[in-house]
Structures are given as C-alpha cells and as structure tokens.
Amino acid sequence: MTSPFPTPVPNPDNQGFWEACARGELRLQRCTACRAWRHHPRPLCPACGSFDYEWGLASGRGVVHTFTIVHRPTLPAFEERLPYNVIVVRLEEGVFMVSNLVGADASALRIGLPVEVVFEPLDIDITLPKFRPRAEVA
C-alpha cells in the first residue's frame, strides 16, 4: 500500500518518532542534560545545546492551540478530502504538534478543546499521529 499523499521521510533524527508511531506510541525527544521535551526531532537541544537525548513516552494528551478549515487544497492530492481541518495541539509536555482532528465533526473544533492522540496508518511505512476529542469531553 502506498499513499497518494506527500509522505514523511524518516531520517536519523526522526526515525525513533516514526518507529514509535507504528507501535501506537507517541515518543518525543527529551534532553538528558536539561530534561526539556522537544518536537520536531532534531540533533541539538534548543534549550541547552546538548546533543544527548532519549525517546520519552509522551502522554498523548493536549489541547487545541489553534486550527483552520482548509477549503482549497495546497496540492491536488488533497482535493478529495476537502474541506479538512488542520490543528496545532499543545501537548501536556509543552511542545506543539501539527495534525488533524478525527472522530468529530468540524463544528466540535474550538481553541482549548482537550484532545488525545490516535494513530492512522498512511501507508505500509508511515503511521501518522492524529487527535480526537478526549472521551471525557466528547
């Protein structure tokens, strides 16, 4: 199975993230020197400059920080999905992730909406983290 959509490309900096998503886990880089969480994966801690990190298990919980509803596709491959949402989630760990809200109508979207991660296979190699409203608020 291959995706008609643009596909993330694993590399040495983000391989741990994609491997964890395939297992249904949200793992983020965490600096072993200053303990700061970071996302997007990168070799250097933006807080202290250390190259040392681990792949820490994140809660997968957060809130919608901002969102938009896309009505015109940026690429032809997305035209069949119109309209679709793009959300920015602030995770409990303090980092931000760009994704989509699934499992709810667009009318449910609001800033501050509590969400939790779910995983959606894009193709045989990549599983994407998406978010749904938390069960306690759905």
Side-chain angles (χ1 to χ4, degrees):
M1 166 173 90
T2 59
S3 172
F5 302 102
T7 303
V9 178
N11 63 46
D13 293 330
N14 66 28
Q15 185 71 38
F17 176 80
W18 295 117
E19 289 172 353
C21 287
R23 295 190 306 270
E25 298 175 345
L26 185 60
R27 290 197 175 263
L28 305 174
Q29 287 181 335
R30 189 163 195 193
C31 180
T32 55
C34 74
R35 306 303 296 159
W37 293 95
R38 64 184 188 243
H39 186 76
H40 295 288
R42 63 199 95 158
L44 185 71
C45 176
C48 74
S50 174
F51 285 97
D52 300 322
Y53 67 89
E54 61 190 3
W55 287 102
L57 184 61
S59 67
R61 293 183 304 271
V63 297
V64 173
H65 180 74
T66 192
F67 67 92
T68 191
I69 306 296
V70 178
H71 294 277
R72 291 183 173 234
T74 54
L75 296 171
F78 292 101
E79 191 162 356
E80 68 186 44
R81 292 190 173 194
L82 293 175
Y84 61 90
N85 67 72
V86 177
I87 63 173
V88 177
V89 174
R90 182 178 179 147
L91 293 172
E92 288 180 350
E93 291 76 14
V95 300
F96 294 88
M97 290 187 74
V98 177
S99 188
N100 306 106
L101 184 73
V102 296
D105 189 75
S107 63
L109 266 170
R110 63 179 169 77
I111 293 172
L113 176 69
V115 293
E116 62 189 1
V117 74
V118 294
F119 296 93
E120 182 179 292
L122 180 64
D123 61 26
I124 197 165
D125 297 314
I126 297 292
T127 298
L128 297 175
K130 304 280 181 120
F131 290 87
R132 67 179 176 207
R134 275 194 239 156
E136 62 266 22
V137 297

